[in-house]
């Protein structure tokens, strides 16, 4: 009976000693600061863009306002992100007709981590586009775009985007082709 009491007391004392020593070892560990902090914002974001579009090619030549909005997702590696955007460019005044263009595109971007105050990116998108003409009827078709620009992080939840976009809508007649310079904002939520 006495041996059992000593054994239990010894086990309790050994457990307390290990607990105290374990706390000292953890406190002496210098690597505890390298544990990444949890992200302040979600990987989902909203975006809004405004800019100027330059119509080129056989559809005519003119320039007009372009606006867009979308919702996106920053993937786990902070280099790849994707979004779905709706963009409208309008009131082009060509020699043949006045026209507007609307596109719905799924886009993917590669953010290039260069340790600068901004993050350059390149991207591409696929989707569908609609062209509304005053003369000659409306048309729609497969659309693709190529993008490049830079993201300027203002906080964990907000960034500014300055970019360029090439967009082409394949139509029955002449394709709608434009080049756009845009500025926008991304809001994480």
């Amino acid at each position: 009976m006495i041996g059992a009491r000593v054994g239990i007391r010894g086990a309790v004392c050994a457990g307390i000693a290990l607990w105290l020593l374990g706390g000292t070892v953890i406190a002496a560990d210098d690597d505890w600061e390298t544990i990444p902090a949890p992200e302040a914002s979600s990987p989902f974001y909203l975006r809004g863009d405004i800019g100027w579009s330059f119509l080129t090619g056989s559809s005519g030549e003119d320039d007009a306002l372009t606006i867009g909005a979308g919702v996106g997702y920053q993937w786990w590696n902070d280099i790849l992100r994707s979004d779905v955007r709706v963009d409208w460019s309008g009131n082009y005044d060509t020699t043949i007709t006045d026209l507007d263009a609307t596109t719905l595109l799924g886009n993917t971007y590669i953010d290039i981590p260069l340790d600068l105050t901004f993050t350059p990116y390149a991207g591409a998108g696929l989707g569908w586009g609609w062209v509304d003409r005053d003369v000659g009827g409306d048309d729609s078709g497969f659309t693709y775009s190529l993008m490049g620009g830079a993201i300027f992080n203002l906080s964990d939840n907000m960034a500014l985007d300055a970019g360029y976009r090439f967009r082409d809508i394949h139509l029955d007649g002449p394709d709608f082709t434009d080049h756009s310079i845009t500025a926008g904002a991304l809001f994480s939520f």
Side-chain angles (χ1 to χ4, degrees):
M1 193 76 162
I2 296 175
R5 284 189 204 160
V6 172
I8 293 173
R9 284 185 195 161
V12 170
C13 289
I16 291 171
L18 285 174
W19 178 70
L20 290 172
L21 289 174
T24 305
V25 170
I26 291 171
D29 188 6
D30 290 334
D31 291 336
W32 68 273
E33 291 181 27
T34 61
I35 297 172
E39 292 292 324
S41 62
S42 145
F44 291 97
Y45 64 89
L46 295 175
R47 70 174 302 137
D49 299 280
I50 189 166
W52 208 251
S53 168
F54 302 92
L55 180 64
T56 61
S58 55
S59 289
E61 292 192 12
D62 195 23
D63 54 287
L65 175 71
T66 184
I67 57 174
V71 61
Y73 186 83
Q74 178 74 47
W75 298 98
W76 65 92
N77 57 13
D78 291 335
I79 294 175
L80 187 68
R81 62 188 164 90
S82 300
D83 61 33
V84 175
R85 286 176 55 174
V86 173
D87 292 286
W88 175 85
S89 304
N91 297 328
Y92 297 100
D93 186 15
T94 66
T95 56
I96 301 168
T97 183
D98 292 346
L99 59 94
D100 300 337
T102 304
T103 54
L104 176 63
L105 295 169
N107 305 297
T108 297
Y109 309 89
I110 297 174
D111 294 333
I112 305 163
L114 294 179
D115 226 9
L116 302 169
T117 57
F118 62 91
T119 304
Y121 68 85
L126 299 174
W128 200 257
W130 298 266
V131 174
D132 299 320
R133 298 183 185 100
D134 290 343
V135 177
D138 301 338
D139 202 356
S140 65
F142 170 77
T143 303
Y144 72 94
S145 66
L146 302 172
M147 288 110 16
I151 298 286
F152 301 86
N153 288 322
L154 300 178
S155 70
D156 288 339
N157 297 331
M158 184 176 175
L160 297 179
D161 179 350
Y164 162 81
R165 177 187 65 208
F166 169 80
R167 179 175 58 171
D168 189 74
I169 304 174
H170 293 272
L171 304 170
D172 288 337
D175 287 356
F176 172 93
T177 304
D178 74 334
H179 303 267
S180 299
I181 303 297
T182 61
L186 285 73
F187 303 95
S188 297
F189 61 93

